[in-house]
Amino acid sequence: MDRSSPIVFTLDPGSGVPTYLQLIHQVEHALRLGYLKPGDQLPKVREVVAELAINPNTVLKAYRDLESKGLTAGRPGQGTFVEGTLDQIDLAGLTGLRRSLVAWLSDADESGLDQDGIVALFSSTLRDFAERRGHEGGRGALTDRRTAGGIA
Amino acid sequence: MNAVVTRDLGKRFGRVTALEDCSLEIGEGQLVALVGPNGAGKSTLLNLMVGLAKPSTGEVSVLGVPAGSGVALDGVAFVAQDTPLYRHLSAADMIHLTRNLNRHFDVAYATDRLRDLDISPGRKAGSLSGGQRAQLALTLALARRPQLLVLDEPTAQLDPLARHDFMSIVMTAMAEDGLTVVLSSHVLAELERVADYLVLISRGRVRIDGDVVSLLTRHWMLTGVPDQSPSPGWRTIQKTSAGAQQHLLVETLSDAPFPPGWEARPVSLEELTMAYLREDTDASRAALLETVR
């Protein structure tokens, strides 16, 4: 099949994450890892629908959300194209954060926490953190959990 | 405009009530999934929509006109359970026949689709595989270029690959023509991917209906200790408990956060549907006990 886009979607039916969010996550992931660059086209709605046998309204909802986040823009008659990037912080910032994380990991290791224990502690702390931050927005934390889908 | 509207719709067969008090509004361009146990009234509702049955009470309109009227029949295509075809007719004969029985029929679309499906026109319908038979029936329905497509358990007999291919064609028709689809199904896991709107029917009544995303964001599975009392902010649909733990599947009635001590996780459409069906069975059992007493 001739593809209009450099990426192609897959679905994880067992993940419990709503389909439209899975599509959004995959686009964001592709942006972070450089599979998608500004100017690239997203798969056409018709292609996604035919390939995954999912509801076109689901794809449209995902594309609308990406557009409202400023990541993509629709061009009438042509499709949806990448506009923004997801460069969150620069390399120096990333290196600094990585260093402090490694220091924390060796502390955890010395205290006798194994890998599963570290993941569990990190996940629950991240969740509490997001929850606390989300409380200004009423039920933001819980809505977050549905949108994040994969944290726990 | 709504694609389907029913008001206090009911159907009786002699003394048996197959459907009652059914009021629904189904928007255009949506895929509506009708779920419920066998004998719940799903096929009755579909037959009323396509004009194969007449209401005993209330009314049903499709595409803005009464179901079963000439205009409605032109705009509605129906594939009945088990995708019935004339076994001894070839695919080409089925196309010929369907064209002559309908006011509108897109022969080019039908023959193109058959070629895509690798079904040779001379093949007898009876010699096709289950998947191909379903695809042929779907092709005949879509070649009528309907605005509303009604499917009664279309994929029940199909293997997973054939089911995927079948739904892929339905979804493509939705994307290209803005088709509205109403289908009944037992394959709950698949519905989350395809349905915009869910109608759950049990013993002749609509138990719950709504936009799938809003149903999923409204329902949660809560886990806590057994003596914890539920909050007025939610309605418990299903409860399972043991010595140290209880799980509640709840419908939240407001946006208030859950009280501390409850751990919440989202539910799947399948869990949600099962919980409502169980609640309904329990309620009827309780009512029966009440009458016996």
Side-chain angles (χ1 to χ4, degrees), chain B:
Chain B
M1 194 182 67
N2 283 313
V4 181
V5 178
T6 69
R7 243 194 26 237
D8 306 325
L9 184 64
K11 179 72 185 173
R12 277 188 311 272
F13 296 102
R15 266 188 231 162
V16 180
T17 302
L19 189 73
E20 59 184 337
D21 294 335
C22 174
S23 296
L24 294 170
E25 281 184 17
I26 291 165
E28 273 182 315
Q30 303 222 60
L31 187 141
V32 180
L34 209 56
V35 300
N38 293 324
K42 300 190 296 290
S43 296
T44 302
L45 177 55
L46 294 183
N47 285 335
L48 287 163
M49 280 183 197
V50 299
L52 281 175
K54 287 225 174 316
S56 308
T57 55
E59 49 198 66
V60 49
S61 68
V62 293
L63 310 170
V65 293
S69 61
V71 181
L73 291 180
D74 278 343
V76 180
F78 177 53
V79 179
Q81 234 169 55
D82 305 326
T83 54
L85 294 168
Y86 293 102
R87 299 182 54 82
H88 299 293
L89 292 189
S90 69
D93 290 340
M94 286 297 309
I95 290 179
H96 184 76
L97 179 70
T98 316
R99 187 187 67 194
N100 285 303
L101 287 173
N102 288 280
R103 247 195 291 243
H104 308 290
F105 191 82
D106 191 336
V107 178
Y109 172 89
T111 41
D112 283 355
R113 285 273 304 118
L114 284 195
R115 196 174 332 111
D116 291 347
L117 292 164
D118 266 334
I119 298 176
S120 79
R123 280 283 292 278
K124 293 262 195 299
S127 76
L128 297 172
S129 72
Q132 286 175 320
R133 225 168 21 240
Q135 288 282 17
L136 176 56
L138 178 63
T139 298
L140 295 171
L142 287 176
R144 295 186 48 224
R145 296 294 183 188
Q147 290 164 266
L148 173 66
L149 175 67
V150 180
L151 306 167
D152 197 355
E153 289 185 30
T155 60
Q157 311 292 328
L158 304 184
D159 65 66
L161 191 62
R163 206 153 64 208
H164 180 279
D165 291 349
F166 185 95
M167 287 316 292
S168 165
I169 302 298
V170 174
M171 293 301 155
T172 305
M174 276 183 80
E176 287 179 343
D177 306 328
L179 183 73
T180 306
V181 181
V182 179
L183 63 83
S184 66
S185 179
H186 283 302
V187 193
L188 293 176
E190 155 185 296
L191 293 180
E192 202 158 326
R193 286 210 310 278
V194 301
D196 292 295
Y197 200 91
L198 183 84
V199 179
L200 175 59
I201 297 193
S202 173
R203 288 176 308 154
R205 283 175 171 273
V206 174
R207 200 55 202 77
I208 182 171
D209 70 297
D211 180 77
V212 168
V213 174
S214 105
L215 283 175
L216 289 177
T217 37
R218 224 165 58 221
H219 290 83
W220 293 83
M221 182 69 88
L222 304 182
T223 300
V225 290
D227 53 359
Q228 228 164 343
S229 54
S231 122
W234 71 63
R235 194 171 79 80
T236 303
I237 313 297
Q238 180 188 291
K239 176 179 166 178
T240 44
S241 57
Q245 207 182 34
Q246 64 171 336
H247 305 289
L248 307 179
L249 195 149
V250 301
E251 177 185 20
T252 55
L253 307 171
S254 74
D255 279 347
F258 294 114
W262 291 101
E263 194 188 321
R265 71 159 173 84
V267 295
S268 67
L269 206 54
E270 189 166 2
E271 282 176 296
L272 190 155
T273 308
M274 300 278 278
Y276 273 96
L277 290 178
R278 257 197 211 110
E279 186 198 26
D280 204 43
T281 322
D282 293 349
S284 69
R285 209 171 287 151
L288 197 65
L289 281 178
E290 205 57 46
T291 1
V292 172
R293 219 177 281 155

Side-chain angles (χ1 to χ4, degrees), chain A residues 55-141:
Chain A
N55 192 314
N57 296 329
T58 306
V59 187
L60 290 170
K61 182 174 165 60
Y63 282 13
R64 261 200 314 274
D65 284 15
L66 286 165
E67 200 166 332
S68 71
K69 287 180 175 182
L71 293 175
T72 62
R75 294 183 201 161
Q78 293 184 55
T80 304
F81 292 81
V82 177
E83 291 265 296
T85 51
L86 274 177
D87 296 332
Q88 295 168 301
I89 56 171
D90 59 15
L91 201 62
L94 211 59
T95 314
L97 282 174
R98 192 187 172 84
R99 203 171 299 140
S100 49
L101 187 58
V102 169
W104 180 83
L105 283 173
S106 57
D107 279 356
D109 186 43
E110 262 165 45
S111 321
L113 211 56
D114 66 2
Q115 207 161 322
D116 288 346
I118 289 174
V119 172
L121 180 60
F122 180 81
S123 305
S124 77
T125 312
L126 180 63
R127 199 166 52 215
D128 289 349
F129 181 76
E131 223 156 271
R132 224 176 306 128
R133 217 178 36 178
H135 261 244
E136 293 118 50
R139 226 171 114 196

